[in-house]
PDB file of all heavy atoms in Angstrom:
ATOM      1  N   GLN Y 127       4.964   4.953  12.196  1.00  0.00           N
ATOM      2  CA  GLN Y 127       5.113   3.995  11.101  1.00  0.00           C
ATOM      3  C   GLN Y 127       6.389   4.250  10.308  1.00  0.00           C
ATOM      4  O   GLN Y 127       7.013   3.315   9.809  1.00  0.00           O
ATOM      5  CB  GLN Y 127       3.880   4.047  10.204  1.00  0.00           C
ATOM      6  CG  GLN Y 127       2.657   3.425  10.856  1.00  0.00           C
ATOM      7  CD  GLN Y 127       1.413   3.557  10.009  1.00  0.00           C
ATOM      8  OE1 GLN Y 127       1.089   4.627   9.507  1.00  0.00           O
ATOM      9  NE2 GLN Y 127       0.695   2.469   9.837  1.00  0.00           N
ATOM     10  N   GLN Y 128       6.786   5.510  10.191  1.00  0.00           N
ATOM     11  CA  GLN Y 128       8.080   5.797   9.575  1.00  0.00           C
ATOM     12  C   GLN Y 128       9.213   5.156  10.382  1.00  0.00           C
ATOM     13  O   GLN Y 128      10.161   4.595   9.817  1.00  0.00           O
ATOM     14  CB  GLN Y 128       8.303   7.296   9.501  1.00  0.00           C
ATOM     15  CG  GLN Y 128       7.470   8.018   8.469  1.00  0.00           C
ATOM     16  CD  GLN Y 128       7.787   9.500   8.493  1.00  0.00           C
ATOM     17  OE1 GLN Y 128       7.453  10.205   9.426  1.00  0.00           O
ATOM     18  NE2 GLN Y 128       8.446   9.969   7.455  1.00  0.00           N
ATOM     19  N   HIS Y 129       9.113   5.256  11.691  1.00  0.00           N
ATOM     20  CA  HIS Y 129      10.166   4.688  12.532  1.00  0.00           C
ATOM     21  C   HIS Y 129      10.134   3.164  12.519  1.00  0.00           C
ATOM     22  O   HIS Y 129      11.165   2.521  12.754  1.00  0.00           O
ATOM     23  CB  HIS Y 129      10.057   5.231  13.954  1.00  0.00           C
ATOM     24  CG  HIS Y 129      10.676   6.588  14.088  1.00  0.00           C
ATOM     25  ND1 HIS Y 129      12.010   6.772  14.400  1.00  0.00           N
ATOM     26  CD2 HIS Y 129      10.164   7.830  13.903  1.00  0.00           C
ATOM     27  CE1 HIS Y 129      12.284   8.066  14.419  1.00  0.00           C
ATOM     28  NE2 HIS Y 129      11.186   8.732  14.113  1.00  0.00           N
ATOM     29  N   GLN Y 130       8.998   2.564  12.237  1.00  0.00           N
ATOM     30  CA  GLN Y 130       8.982   1.113  12.053  1.00  0.00           C
ATOM     31  C   GLN Y 130       9.871   0.719  10.872  1.00  0.00           C
ATOM     32  O   GLN Y 130      10.598  -0.279  10.928  1.00  0.00           O
ATOM     33  CB  GLN Y 130       7.544   0.635  11.831  1.00  0.00           C
ATOM     34  CG  GLN Y 130       6.663   0.745  13.066  1.00  0.00           C
ATOM     35  CD  GLN Y 130       5.210   0.469  12.775  1.00  0.00           C
ATOM     36  OE1 GLN Y 130       4.827   0.208  11.622  1.00  0.00           O
ATOM     37  NE2 GLN Y 130       4.366   0.529  13.795  1.00  0.00           N
ATOM     38  N   GLU Y 131       9.814   1.505   9.803  1.00  0.00           N
ATOM     39  CA  GLU Y 131      10.697   1.260   8.663  1.00  0.00           C
ATOM     40  C   GLU Y 131      12.151   1.439   9.069  1.00  0.00           C
ATOM     41  O   GLU Y 131      13.018   0.613   8.745  1.00  0.00           O
ATOM     42  CB  GLU Y 131      10.353   2.235   7.528  1.00  0.00           C
ATOM     43  CG  GLU Y 131       8.932   2.126   7.019  1.00  0.00           C
ATOM     44  CD  GLU Y 131       8.596   3.232   6.034  1.00  0.00           C
ATOM     45  OE1 GLU Y 131       9.476   4.054   5.739  1.00  0.00           O
ATOM     46  OE2 GLU Y 131       7.459   3.264   5.550  1.00  0.00           O
ATOM     47  N   LEU Y 132      12.425   2.540   9.781  1.00  0.00           N
ATOM     48  CA  LEU Y 132      13.804   2.831  10.174  1.00  0.00           C
ATOM     49  C   LEU Y 132      14.363   1.780  11.120  1.00  0.00           C
ATOM     50  O   LEU Y 132      15.562   1.481  11.091  1.00  0.00           O
ATOM     51  CB  LEU Y 132      13.865   4.214  10.827  1.00  0.00           C
ATOM     52  CG  LEU Y 132      13.609   5.398   9.907  1.00  0.00           C
ATOM     53  CD1 LEU Y 132      13.479   6.684  10.724  1.00  0.00           C
ATOM     54  CD2 LEU Y 132      14.724   5.538   8.887  1.00  0.00           C
ATOM     55  N   MET Y 133      13.534   1.219  11.963  1.00  0.00           N
ATOM     56  CA  MET Y 133      14.008   0.213  12.911  1.00  0.00           C
ATOM     57  C   MET Y 133      14.658  -0.965  12.191  1.00  0.00           C
ATOM     58  O   MET Y 133      15.720  -1.443  12.584  1.00  0.00           O
ATOM     59  CB  MET Y 133      12.860  -0.259  13.793  1.00  0.00           C
ATOM     60  CG  MET Y 133      12.421   0.750  14.849  1.00  0.00           C
ATOM     61  SD  MET Y 133      10.873   0.303  15.667  1.00  0.00           S
ATOM     62  CE  MET Y 133      11.396  -1.186  16.555  1.00  0.00           C
ATOM     63  N   LEU Y 134      14.024  -1.417  11.117  1.00  0.00           N
ATOM     64  CA  LEU Y 134      14.562  -2.587  10.425  1.00  0.00           C
ATOM     65  C   LEU Y 134      15.697  -2.232   9.485  1.00  0.00           C
ATOM     66  O   LEU Y 134      16.614  -3.036   9.300  1.00  0.00           O
ATOM     67  CB  LEU Y 134      13.442  -3.321   9.682  1.00  0.00           C
ATOM     68  CG  LEU Y 134      12.423  -4.022  10.583  1.00  0.00           C
ATOM     69  CD1 LEU Y 134      11.484  -4.883   9.768  1.00  0.00           C
ATOM     70  CD2 LEU Y 134      13.108  -4.857  11.653  1.00  0.00           C
ATOM     71  N   THR Y 135      15.668  -1.065   8.867  1.00  0.00           N
ATOM     72  CA  THR Y 135      16.816  -0.687   8.043  1.00  0.00           C
ATOM     73  C   THR Y 135      18.046  -0.440   8.912  1.00  0.00           C
ATOM     74  O   THR Y 135      19.168  -0.798   8.530  1.00  0.00           O
ATOM     75  CB  THR Y 135      16.507   0.555   7.194  1.00  0.00           C
ATOM     76  OG1 THR Y 135      16.021   1.608   8.033  1.00  0.00           O
ATOM     77  CG2 THR Y 135      15.463   0.248   6.140  1.00  0.00           C
ATOM     78  N   ASP Y 136      17.855   0.154  10.087  1.00  0.00           N
ATOM     79  CA  ASP Y 136      18.979   0.358  11.006  1.00  0.00           C
ATOM     80  C   ASP Y 136      19.492  -0.978  11.532  1.00  0.00           C
ATOM     81  O   ASP Y 136      20.708  -1.203  11.640  1.00  0.00           O
ATOM     82  CB  ASP Y 136      18.560   1.250  12.173  1.00  0.00           C
ATOM     83  CG  ASP Y 136      18.387   2.711  11.770  1.00  0.00           C
ATOM     84  OD1 ASP Y 136      18.710   3.048  10.613  1.00  0.00           O
ATOM     85  OD2 ASP Y 136      17.934   3.512  12.605  1.00  0.00           O
ATOM     86  N   LEU Y 137      18.578  -1.879  11.871  1.00  0.00           N
ATOM     87  CA  LEU Y 137      18.988  -3.196  12.354  1.00  0.00           C
ATOM     88  C   LEU Y 137      19.783  -3.944  11.286  1.00  0.00           C
ATOM     89  O   LEU Y 137      20.817  -4.560  11.579  1.00  0.00           O
ATOM     90  CB  LEU Y 137      17.755  -4.013  12.750  1.00  0.00           C
ATOM     91  CG  LEU Y 137      18.022  -5.443  13.208  1.00  0.00           C
ATOM     92  CD1 LEU Y 137      18.763  -5.455  14.548  1.00  0.00           C
ATOM     93  CD2 LEU Y 137      16.712  -6.228  13.307  1.00  0.00           C
ATOM     94  N   LEU Y 138      19.316  -3.888  10.049  1.00  0.00           N
ATOM     95  CA  LEU Y 138      20.018  -4.584   8.972  1.00  0.00           C
ATOM     96  C   LEU Y 138      21.438  -4.065   8.812  1.00  0.00           C
ATOM     97  O   LEU Y 138      22.383  -4.845   8.649  1.00  0.00           O
ATOM     98  CB  LEU Y 138      19.244  -4.418   7.664  1.00  0.00           C
ATOM     99  CG  LEU Y 138      19.890  -5.042   6.421  1.00  0.00           C
ATOM    100  CD1 LEU Y 138      20.055  -6.544   6.583  1.00  0.00           C
ATOM    101  CD2 LEU Y 138      19.069  -4.731   5.173  1.00  0.00           C
ATOM    102  N   TYR Y 139      21.594  -2.738   8.850  1.00  0.00           N
ATOM    103  CA  TYR Y 139      22.935  -2.171   8.694  1.00  0.00           C
ATOM    104  C   TYR Y 139      23.848  -2.626   9.827  1.00  0.00           C
ATOM    105  O   TYR Y 139      25.014  -2.956   9.602  1.00  0.00           O
ATOM    106  CB  TYR Y 139      22.852  -0.639   8.660  1.00  0.00           C
ATOM    107  CG  TYR Y 139      24.171   0.018   8.336  1.00  0.00           C
ATOM    108  CD1 TYR Y 139      24.584   0.162   7.015  1.00  0.00           C
ATOM    109  CD2 TYR Y 139      25.015   0.475   9.351  1.00  0.00           C
ATOM    110  CE1 TYR Y 139      25.801   0.754   6.710  1.00  0.00           C
ATOM    111  CE2 TYR Y 139      26.231   1.063   9.057  1.00  0.00           C
ATOM    112  CZ  TYR Y 139      26.619   1.200   7.737  1.00  0.00           C
ATOM    113  OH  TYR Y 139      27.838   1.772   7.441  1.00  0.00           O
TER     114      TYR Y 139
END
Side-chain angles (χ1 to χ4, degrees):
Q127 288 176 312
Q128 287 180 290
H129 279 271
Q130 291 171 359
E131 300 172 1
L132 292 171
M133 286 169 67
L134 291 188
T135 53
D136 287 354
L137 177 68
L138 177 61
Y139 187 83

